[in-house]
Amino acid sequence: MRIIGVYNIKGGVGKTATAVNLAYLSAQAGLRTLVWDLDPQGAASYYFRIKPRIKGGGRKMLKGKRELDRLIKGSDFENLDLLPADFSYRNMDLMLGEAKGPVKQLLRLLRPLAEEYDRIYLDCPPSISLVSENIFRAADALLVPTIPTTLSLRTYEQMVEFLAGHKVGNVKRMPFFSMVDRRKRMHLDMIKQLPERFPELLKAHIPYASDVERMGHFRAPLGSFAPRSAAAIAYDALWQELEGALKS
Amino acid sequence: MTTQSLQYQLKDSESIGEVMTALTAQFTLTSEPEKTVRYVLHDSFDWRLFQAGLQLEELRATGRHELTLRKLDGGTACETIRLEGAVPAFFQHYAPGLLRDRLADCLAMRALLPQVEIRRRERLLRVLDSEQKTVLRIVLQEQEARPPGRGEYQPMVALVGLLSVRGYDKPLRQVSRFLTRTLELQPQSDALITLGLAAIGRRPLDYSSKLNFQLQPGTPAGEVARQIHRALLDTLETNLPGTRADLDSEFLHDLRVAVRRTRSALSQIKGVFPEDEVEKYKERFAWIGQLTGPTRDLDVYLLGYDDYRDSLPEPYRPDLDPLHRFLVNHQKSEQRAMVRKLNSPHFHTLLKEWRAFLDTESAPESICPNAHKPIGKVAGKRISRTFFRVLEEGLAITPHSPPEALHELRKGCKKLRYLLEFFQSLYPAERVKPLIKNLKGLLDNLGDFQDLEVQADKLRKFAHQMVEEGDVPADTLLAMGMLVDGLLKRQQASRQVFADRFARFADAKQVAVYQELFGGRRKKRVADGEPA
């Protein structure tokens, strides 16, 4: 089992679209895949037409009264399941704070799923918090969708700093450019200059595309309704690159 | 990823349309276009996967070629891999991973063979909820089966399968209730392989090398002897094609075991056939033993090769490579020579005449004194006599006895084992099974003692042969020398264990069971043999 966190301190950078589309590709390739919707907004759950509803809320779950197992829902696609979001996740930081060994709780919860799934994608809430620290510790790889702007770059550097400061060295950082608009000068400049400064940057870029926005209308991953669109092809390239890195 | 699946049997394939109409009227459904998929189900000749509760299915559909290992019970998939070419026959040919590990555990040296081919037309229906989300999948399946790659397809039962979506149990319950109560369909829990084989007139586990006779104590001994010999001949013939094609080493092994058992039954079940016939066939079956021996010897070395190699210290292991090549080449040429003999008229005539002999009326009582006696009596007497002879021989062995004494004892033990196996159904299983198990423990020990020496001896001969055949590196010969040394040390160790194994076999309680089950002749002598 490999755990992939999709994370950025900033919101609105295409995290959920990344988690949903990559998870779909992973399932299509025959890997048993789970998406855990950790974002209280529940966008991933919405894309999969699954109502976010966890009786008792996240608090009970972390105390181990309820196994993750029973909360998992199958999606419309083979090999692809979802652990739905719940609004009480907004209190997750508080709950993790109460638990023993708060920074390793998520990993403890995920461990029993190792035999059932080959890939687990975590769709993470923005901001740096106890939740994100948990994610850093649980994940094998951290995909960081990054809009090619100066501001985005600053938040990426903040994250790198945080990881170094909290000794979360094991996680593989995998930033990639997201929502790339080739009409914008700054985007093109950044794409040209940054790989030198950040060799960990992935080669695949995800373009800014209305097809991605249409996911909300179809309530389905891109690959299922527009597999030949530019964005779908870009996600495929990103997935190939991620899988290559996970295997090496 | 755990999902529940249920299946129901349709009365006939015409009713698929009716079921579909009924379901559409009752539930919100979408339907996908019909697809054709093909399955080939694989298992070893002796059904090792099936025995372990597993089914291995090769799937071909548009753009898909996969191999899935599945549990028979409940049908959950253990592992799926994509296939590039044909299904690899031996576990060693799979990439490291879960599938390979499971196959290694189950198959050991046996090859996977295609058992049945299934062609299926399937239509997938999805039950949707108010969010238009799939909450249950229904698969309507029409299918037919044939022997792999040949013959006409035979109709199989048509099925409705329900595949639950995780976290949505209610729709599964609703649809299954509708199918059973309203449409009155019967649940069908047989695995695909069982259903497919049934369509071509076969069933799983239709071959086993184990003896399984159901005998009645009152049946005349002559009749029972024929029954046993016929079953052994069947086993021999069943294993012939696989032996000729060298599909795996077990075909030849099982064939040879059937021959040994035949010879043993000929000499051990006395007075049921005319003496001259018995002598003639004993000799002729000994010939099969001889003609198959050299190939089997090399098979044994090849099967054990990895262990031999691993018994050497790491740096010396590569030195053995030329030995491996030697074994492979010689196995091939011996195999060819053996097949020529197995294809000879001489061999065919032997089997044909033996079958005819077994099918003719038994000879008059004057020639075969035991033929008409009840088997219960004859068997008990034979087992009892053999047991006490073995016991005496064993008790006479001391740490200073020559190896020949142990070799002789092994022969006697083998006879006893075959007799117990032939006739075990005449006795209570819970009493006779432990006897066989204990005897097997002793036999394994005696077998080690003899085989390890034979192997060491043979390795030395191989070394000479390799030198004669061309230039063999000195390092290889040295490494083989180390192997010989290791084998002889293990042989010595097995001698140390003998006393303990024999004591278990000759335990007073065990002797009492033998006496009770098979008759208590020679009571006095045993008492003499026991330490005061």
Side-chain angles (χ1 to χ4, degrees):
Chain A
M1 180 187 69
R2 292 276 184 277
I3 301 171
I4 302 109
V6 185
Y7 175 77
N8 194 318
I9 301 175
K10 261 170 70 68
V13 295
K15 272 193 319 296
T16 302
T18 303
V20 166
N21 287 321
L22 294 188
Y24 172 80
L25 292 167
S26 158
Q28 288 289 305
L31 295 166
R32 297 164 304 168
T33 306
L34 175 75
V35 178
W36 189 352
D37 189 357
L38 280 160
D39 189 338
Q41 293 172 42
S45 306
Y46 177 81
Y47 281 141
F48 286 120
R49 301 167 191 269
I50 292 165
K51 297 170 199 161
R53 185 175 53 199
I54 298 177
K55 287 174 198 153
R59 189 178 294 250
K60 243 185 183 171
M61 190 169 74
L62 280 191
K63 286 187 178 161
K65 285 184 182 155
R66 180 194 276 277
E67 295 161 30
L68 281 191
D69 207 43
R70 304 224 311 269
L71 303 172
I72 293 172
K73 297 270 185 185
S75 73
D76 280 10
F77 310 98
E78 253 184 271
N79 291 329
L80 184 52
D81 290 351
L82 184 99
L83 188 55
D86 183 81
F87 289 109
S88 63
Y89 276 24
R90 63 175 172 248
N91 297 321
M92 197 130 166
D93 259 7
L94 275 175
M95 287 163 352
L96 289 170
E98 288 168 13
K100 271 188 204 164
V103 290
K104 285 185 184 164
Q105 287 298 309
L106 211 57
L107 193 57
R108 186 182 60 80
L109 283 167
L110 286 170
R111 216 169 267 146
L113 298 175
E115 284 196 1
E116 277 191 76
Y117 294 99
D118 303 310
R119 299 288 180 269
I120 297 181
Y121 285 83
L122 306 174
D123 184 19
C124 309
S127 86
I128 283 191
S129 61
L130 206 42
V131 179
S132 30
E133 199 177 336
N134 262 275
I135 288 159
F136 301 150
R137 287 189 194 273
D140 297 290
L142 204 57
L143 278 173
V144 189
T146 307
I147 303 175
T149 61
T150 334
L151 197 62
S152 298
L153 197 68
R154 254 198 75 221
T155 55
Y156 179 67
E157 283 172 325
Q158 278 174 357
M159 190 195 84
V160 174
E161 222 167 87
F162 179 89
L163 290 178
H166 288 72
K167 297 189 183 122
V168 203
N170 288 341
V171 64
K172 201 177 213 144
R173 281 179 282 127
M174 303 177 85
F176 65 95
F177 289 125
S178 167
M179 302 174 88
V180 174
D181 191 343
R182 296 209 154 263
R183 290 165 304 183
K184 290 185 179 156
R185 178 92 229 174
M186 177 164 26
H187 282 204
L188 295 176
D189 286 349
M190 297 289 260
I191 288 174
K192 215 171 176 185
Q193 293 158 15
L194 289 186
E196 209 171 304
R197 259 179 74 196
F198 299 98
E200 68 265 40
L201 261 166
L202 300 183
K203 289 192 181 58
H205 309 162
I206 306 301
Y208 179 83
S210 54
D211 283 325
V212 180
E213 282 166 0
R214 281 165 64 214
M215 283 172 65
H217 170 72
F218 284 99
R219 297 184 72 180
L222 208 47
S224 72
F225 65 87
R228 305 209 181 282
S229 63
I233 291 165
Y235 276 118
D236 197 53
L238 179 63
W239 179 75
Q240 304 274 1
E241 213 176 335
L242 167 69
E243 279 299 317
L246 287 176
K247 276 171 195 152
S248 67
Chain B
M1 219 70 237
T2 42
T3 48
Q4 234 186 316
S5 68
L6 298 171
Q7 62 182 13
Y8 301 89
Q9 186 173 337
L10 294 181
K11 285 153 209 140
D12 50 64
S13 53
E14 275 91 70
S15 55
I16 278 197
E18 291 164 32
V19 170
M20 198 155 142
T21 315
L23 284 170
T24 317
Q26 191 74 18
F27 302 95
T28 313
L29 296 176
T30 59
S31 161
E32 288 185 11
E34 196 178 81
K35 273 193 307 192
T36 301
V37 290
R38 279 163 203 278
Y39 291 99
V40 177
L41 295 148
H42 299 260
D43 206 329
S44 69
F45 189 66
D46 56 354
W47 303 99
R48 293 190 179 194
L49 296 179
F50 194 88
Q51 287 188 59
L54 296 168
Q55 169 182 296
L56 187 67
E57 63 195 40
E58 178 189 4
L59 164 89
R60 271 179 205 274
T62 334
R64 284 169 77 190
H65 188 200
E66 295 165 1
L67 190 65
T68 300
L69 187 69
R70 201 180 284 287
K71 285 188 185 139
L72 289 170
D73 184 21
T76 31
C78 308
E79 185 76 356
T80 298
I81 58 163
R82 285 187 190 191
L83 285 170
E84 298 294 334
V87 174
F90 293 97
F91 82 83
Q92 292 93 336
H93 301 153
Y94 287 80
L98 200 74
L99 182 67
R100 179 185 159 135
D101 293 348
R102 296 298 288 272
L103 292 178
D105 287 348
C106 298
L107 293 174
M109 75 295 271
R110 290 235 78 156
L112 288 168
L113 305 172
Q115 300 286 357
V116 60
E117 184 179 341
I118 293 166
R119 185 164 68 184
R120 174 192 284 176
R121 276 206 301 278
E122 65 177 30
R123 181 177 283 267
L124 180 70
L125 308 174
R126 296 166 181 271
V127 179
L128 305 177
D129 70 0
S130 58
E131 307 266 314
Q132 299 294 304
K133 175 177 190 314
T134 309
V135 291
L136 179 71
R137 293 186 180 85
I138 306 176
V139 201
L140 302 171
Q141 305 166 351
E142 254 181 283
Q143 43 197 4
E144 41 194 11
R146 65 173 185 174
R150 65 197 152 84
E152 295 276 307
Y153 278 102
Q154 305 297 323
M156 280 170 68
V157 288
L159 298 171
V160 185
L162 301 184
L163 306 170
S164 77
V165 175
R166 190 168 182 164
Y168 299 89
D169 297 336
K170 213 165 133 194
L172 176 74
R173 284 199 301 276
Q174 285 168 340
V175 175
S176 97
R177 209 180 304 133
F178 179 75
L179 292 177
T180 50
R181 300 221 180 129
T182 312
L183 302 183
E184 297 179 335
L185 300 184
Q186 296 295 319
Q188 169 57 265
S189 58
D190 282 347
L192 184 62
I193 190 163
T194 310
L195 296 172
L197 287 166
I200 58 169
R202 284 184 62 197
R203 58 187 174 77
L205 307 175
D206 56 7
Y207 172 79
S208 165
S209 61
K210 291 205 175 72
L211 297 175
N212 183 22
F213 300 112
Q214 294 307 320
L215 307 175
Q216 298 301 323
T219 315
E223 218 173 283
V224 170
R226 278 164 210 277
Q227 186 189 338
I228 289 172
H229 279 297
R230 261 187 227 119
L232 293 171
L233 180 55
D234 289 343
T235 304
L236 193 162
E237 287 181 336
T238 311
N239 280 290
L240 260 179
T243 299
R244 285 201 188 99
D246 199 12
L247 295 177
D248 66 39
S249 58
E250 285 303 281
F251 287 97
L252 176 59
H253 177 58
D254 283 4
L255 184 149
R256 283 172 54 82
V257 171
V259 169
R260 270 207 301 276
R261 283 173 170 160
T262 300
R263 292 171 60 200
S264 189
L266 275 170
S267 50
Q268 292 303 303
I269 314 176
K270 290 186 193 297
V272 291
F273 299 140
E275 204 48 43
D276 53 335
E277 293 285 345
V278 168
E279 285 311 312
K280 186 177 84 186
Y281 281 111
K282 265 162 72 176
E283 212 168 289
R284 295 177 76 180
F285 277 101
W287 172 69
I288 306 183
Q290 285 158 14
L291 82 90
T292 51
T295 311
R296 175 64 194 166
D297 285 349
L298 288 155
D299 282 347
V300 169
Y301 279 98
L302 283 168
L303 288 171
Y305 181 79
D306 287 343
D307 286 338
Y308 285 145
R309 194 171 188 273
D310 294 347
S311 75
L312 294 184
E314 185 87 53
Y316 298 98
R317 290 177 191 170
D319 294 346
L320 275 187
D321 292 351
L323 172 64
H324 191 256
R325 282 194 293 277
F326 172 89
L327 293 171
V328 169
N329 290 338
H330 281 259
Q331 195 274 350
K332 276 189 196 142
S333 59
E334 289 296 351
Q335 166 77 21
R336 276 195 299 272
M338 177 184 77
V339 170
R340 272 197 300 277
K341 287 174 193 155
L342 292 178
N343 289 337
S344 68
H346 193 60
F347 183 78
H348 284 288
T349 318
L350 164 53
L351 297 193
K352 220 169 89 188
E353 288 180 6
W354 178 231
R355 173 85 62 191
F357 173 80
L358 294 175
D359 288 345
T360 48
E361 288 287 306
S362 47
E365 202 161 334
S366 55
I367 318 177
C368 314
N370 287 337
H372 303 280
K373 286 186 188 160
I375 188 63
K377 270 195 167 173
V378 176
K381 207 165 149 189
R382 275 314 307 162
I383 294 173
S384 165
R385 271 197 193 173
T386 314
F387 170 71
F388 285 106
R389 186 171 308 140
V390 167
L391 193 61
E392 262 177 49
E393 277 177 25
L395 286 169
I397 290 176
T398 68
H400 309 291
S401 302
E404 290 72 28
L406 283 102
H407 300 340
E408 274 308 306
L409 181 67
R410 184 187 184 197
K411 281 188 202 161
C413 285
K414 269 197 171 173
K415 285 178 191 162
L416 180 60
R417 179 176 170 189
Y418 288 147
L419 285 171
L420 287 171
E421 286 175 345
F422 291 149
F423 299 127
Q424 55 179 311
S425 65
L426 297 169
Y427 306 96
E430 75 280 3
R431 310 211 62 194
V432 81
K433 286 248 170 359
L435 299 183
I436 297 178
K437 201 179 153 209
N438 252 324
L439 179 57
K440 207 172 162 279
L442 175 60
L443 260 170
D444 286 346
N445 172 254
L446 290 168
D448 280 350
F449 181 69
Q450 189 165 7
D451 295 345
L452 288 166
E453 189 184 336
V454 173
Q455 285 177 36
D457 218 41
K458 201 74 197 252
L459 265 181
R460 289 167 59 182
K461 288 205 181 95
F462 286 159
H464 286 286
Q465 219 174 324
M466 286 165 82
V467 171
E468 275 168 34
E469 282 175 18
D471 48 1
V472 48
D475 285 341
T476 300
L477 297 174
L478 285 170
M480 288 172 72
M482 289 163 82
L483 282 186
V484 170
D485 182 52
L487 289 168
L488 291 177
K489 278 196 182 120
R490 275 171 58 202
Q491 194 220 3
Q492 283 314 307
S494 72
R495 175 86 199 228
Q496 311 282 322
V497 183
F498 168 76
D500 172 61
R501 292 285 172 90
F502 186 78
R504 253 184 264 172
F505 170 78
D507 175 78
K509 274 188 209 147
Q510 265 235 123
V511 175
V513 178
Y514 271 101
Q515 280 176 330
E516 200 185 313
L517 290 180
F518 313 111
R521 221 178 49 86
R522 299 197 192 185
K523 253 183 202 168
K524 193 177 155 290
R525 278 219 222 159
V526 178
D528 289 348
E530 275 175 353

